[in-house]
Amino acid sequence: MSELTPDLVRHLASLARIQVTDDEAERLAAQLAVIVDSVATVNKAVEGDVPATSHPIPMANVFREDIVEPSLTQEQALSGAADSDQGRFRVAAILDEE
Amino acid sequence: MSELIKKNASELVSLMASGEVSSVEVTQAHLDRIAAVNGTLNSYLHVTADAALKVASDVDRRRAAGESLPKLAGLPIAVKDNLTTTDAPTTAGSKILEGWVPQYDATVVTKLRNELMPILGKTNLDEFAMGSSTEFSAYGPSRNPWDTDRIPGGSGGGSSSAVAGFTAPLAIGSDTGGSIRFPGAVTGTVGTKPTYGAVSRYGLIALASSLDQIGPVSRNVLDAALLQDVIAGHDPHDSTSLPESLGSMAEAAANRSVAGMRIGVIKQLTGAGFQPGVQARFDDSLALLAKNGAEIVEVDCPSFEYAIAAYYLILPAEASSNLAKFDSVRFGLRVTPEGNPTIERVMAATREAGFGPEVKRRIILGTYALSSGYYDAYYGSAQKVRTLIQRDLAAAFAKADVLVSPTAPTTAFKFGEKIDDPLAMYLNDIATIPANLAGIPGMSIPNGLADEDGLPSGLQILAPAREDARLYKVGAALEAWHEEVWGKRMIDFAPELKVGA
């Protein structure tokens, strides 16, 4: 049986920066427990030394020529932001007061 | 209703080239159809009528002046709403991006603009392409034109229902685990996932970067080929973009044939678990292929048993990283809780309000799979399964030129049937996921109606990486024999759409 408790869901959600209500944590824990039990079967699939595949068609050192190309203006870069000030993204306090 | 909208894209191209119809007429016919049926189908989240007509009249003017134009100039198209467009909002089906207008076009969108194809609008999808039914779109589900009580497949149900509902002759989709092919199967249309890297993903809002691929959605194999030829090609803006050309798909479709080809039936993707009517149509098609000179062989892919499990570890892991960018700072929604919250609380409140249930499920699952202590057991093992699946496919392609299976285990299910059971929803992808894990190309073509419900079924063709041409060669051949047997196109069996109030 899975260890996916509502407490663990709350912890994972806080790592993922998603606020969850107690109801949601309960519901997600039950759903994720079933999913995790099912996906955990990957452990049984692999015997012996099998290399990992991260990309289906591997490529290495993909670079373009190092020449300056047009990029977004400051105004464009800020155009989708909820708040900005003097050409910068404006956000709430980064640190708690204490 | 204009008869123009029922025509295949290739016919419209010929009619426009010969001057029999104008691009404005073709574009307007589709816009009229959208106005009439989109309230029912909800295929489009945003319609760009003025911009489309502007391109169309420009094409007509330039054609009249005798200018040499790109092959598909004037042919309208719909674009899935997870590709960025500078002249239309791009939401990816999520509230967190409601109203966001990007500052750059996706490379595929740029290519459509360069081809002078009028873009009709942006099509619906499950939020961030996570789902198989469009029920997880924050803007309501799209409906299947064959039966509006049923799902049009997902995530690209907006594009599939647009093409099946004759509101677009062609559309763009994206396929991470079957999001082009599954919607194709359940709406009686053609959906192609090209080889990983064949089409640039610059400007595609990433779901799982090692799996995502953009591809064509159409009613006909040749039409899909024409579109893949427009959107494919190397792009320096996408580091996974293949440097080499895969050749002309339109030519491959024109050279349709299976004579002397070995066609592999995947043991694990046939028989038990597939709806009887879906299986019966699949068996009919095998007989048709054999009759026309193909050799049918059975291939064994034992690791496919673990494909869904591996996929639902790799995808959430990658998605949880990719979706971290939706943080309330640079774009999209910001929700500020009461009091004097820190940015972390603003982010958490924003993501709580902006993401729907499936997105939250997958982000949290991905966060779990990547946690220290679990990484090797889950994500690490899943990546090894990926290697095993590639090995199974390499062995299968040593025995066969292409592989075939039913695209999906069932025909279109009803709304609500699987929404509360994530695992049941994930099983729709059982036949389509291996291609994404291995990076190989796959195509779903209409494969006749299941006896028990009269709904479309699909046949999937798989080819080795970079051999997309084989899909078109075989797909076009089978399509032609089907139409010979049926006496008409599969889409012509669809009942007339009942338009609601």
Side-chain angles (χ1 to χ4, degrees), chain B residues 256-276:
Chain B
R256 59 185 197 230
S257 163
V258 297
M261 284 180 93
R262 297 162 305 162
I263 295 185
V265 177
I266 303 163
K267 202 168 116 187
Q268 284 73 14
L269 294 180
T270 185
F274 288 84
Q275 186 181 319

Side-chain angles (χ1 to χ4, degrees), chain A residues 31, chain B residues 133 135-136 361 413 415-422 425:
Chain A
Q31 288 170 336
Chain B
S133 67
E135 288 166 293
F136 291 123
R361 247 184 325 260
F413 49 88
F415 289 109
E417 221 171 277
K418 300 186 183 180
I419 190 130
D420 294 323
D421 186 350
M425 194 74 100

Side-chain angles (χ1 to χ4, degrees), chain B residues 275-292:
Chain B
Q275 186 181 319
V278 171
Q279 182 67 38
R281 294 294 83 78
F282 178 69
D283 294 339
D284 291 350
S285 289
L286 288 183
L288 210 47
L289 290 164
K291 192 184 120 190
N292 284 284

Side-chain angles (χ1 to χ4, degrees), chain B residues 95-372:
Chain B
K95 284 286 178 205
I96 211 162
L97 281 179
E98 189 167 15
W100 178 57
V101 181
Q103 292 295 322
Y104 66 99
D105 280 330
T107 294
V108 162
V109 171
T110 302
K111 283 176 181 274
L112 300 178
R113 295 199 203 281
N114 291 344
E115 189 76 9
L116 302 176
M117 297 177 75
I119 295 174
L120 296 164
K122 306 293 291 290
T123 57
N124 196 19
L125 65 157
D126 288 289
E127 186 175 4
F128 291 107
M130 299 189 202
S132 305
S133 67
T134 68
E135 288 166 293
F136 291 123
S137 167
Y139 304 98
S142 300
R143 295 182 178 275
N144 191 324
W146 289 75
D147 177 349
T148 53
D149 292 333
R150 291 177 189 269
I151 60 115
S155 65
S159 286
S160 71
S161 66
V163 168
F166 302 107
T167 59
L170 288 175
I172 296 290
S174 68
D175 189 311
T176 304
S179 284
I180 292 176
R181 289 163 287 156
F182 178 62
V186 295
T187 58
T189 56
V190 177
T192 313
K193 182 200 95 71
T195 295
Y196 184 77
V199 177
S200 165
R201 301 177 303 170
Y202 180 69
L204 173 71
I205 297 173
L207 168 53
S209 306
S210 77
L211 303 163
D212 297 340
Q213 186 58 61
I214 295 172
V217 174
S218 65
R219 291 189 292 265
N220 175 281
V221 174
L222 174 61
D223 294 354
L226 292 168
L227 182 53
Q228 184 162 336
D229 287 347
V230 169
I231 60 177
H234 180 250
D235 178 13
H237 288 122
D238 176 355
S239 63
T240 61
S241 170
L242 293 175
E244 68 271 28
S245 162
L246 303 184
S248 164
M249 300 306 136
E251 205 172 289
N255 294 330
R256 59 185 197 230
S257 163
V258 297
M261 284 180 93
R262 297 162 305 162
I263 295 185
V265 177
I266 303 163
K267 202 168 116 187
Q268 284 73 14
L269 294 180
T270 185
F274 288 84
Q275 186 181 319
V278 171
Q279 182 67 38
R281 294 294 83 78
F282 178 69
D283 294 339
D284 291 350
S285 289
L286 288 183
L288 210 47
L289 290 164
K291 192 184 120 190
N292 284 284
E295 184 195 342
I296 308 291
V297 297
E298 187 182 77
V299 299
D300 192 13
C301 295
S303 302
F304 279 21
E305 186 188 333
Y306 302 103
I308 289 190
Y311 178 84
Y312 279 100
L313 285 164
I314 291 168
L315 180 142
E318 295 187 11
S320 68
S321 314
N322 275 330
L323 270 63
K325 67 168 88 68
F326 302 104
D327 59 4
S328 79
V329 175
R330 288 159 297 165
F331 32 65
L333 185 71
R334 176 180 293 182
V335 174
T336 307
E338 298 265 324
N340 198 17
T342 59
I343 187 169
E344 288 202 1
R345 284 193 54 218
V346 175
M347 284 181 190
T350 300
R351 289 159 68 83
E352 137 109 303
F355 288 145
E358 180 67 9
V359 171
K360 287 178 187 166
R361 247 184 325 260
R362 294 200 198 181
I363 289 177
I364 291 170
L365 180 60
T367 306
Y368 178 65
L370 291 176
S371 330
S372 109

Side-chain angles (χ1 to χ4, degrees), chain B residues 372-385:
Chain B
S372 109
Y374 300 103
Y375 182 92
D376 287 340
Y378 291 142
Y379 190 61
S381 297
Q383 289 196 318
K384 290 177 182 174
V385 169

Side-chain angles (χ1 to χ4, degrees), chain A residues 79-97:
Chain A
S79 67
D83 196 5
S84 65
D85 185 28
Q86 299 175 57
R88 289 168 293 181
F89 296 107
R90 186 188 172 100
V91 297
I94 306 260
L95 299 173
D96 261 325
E97 276 169 31

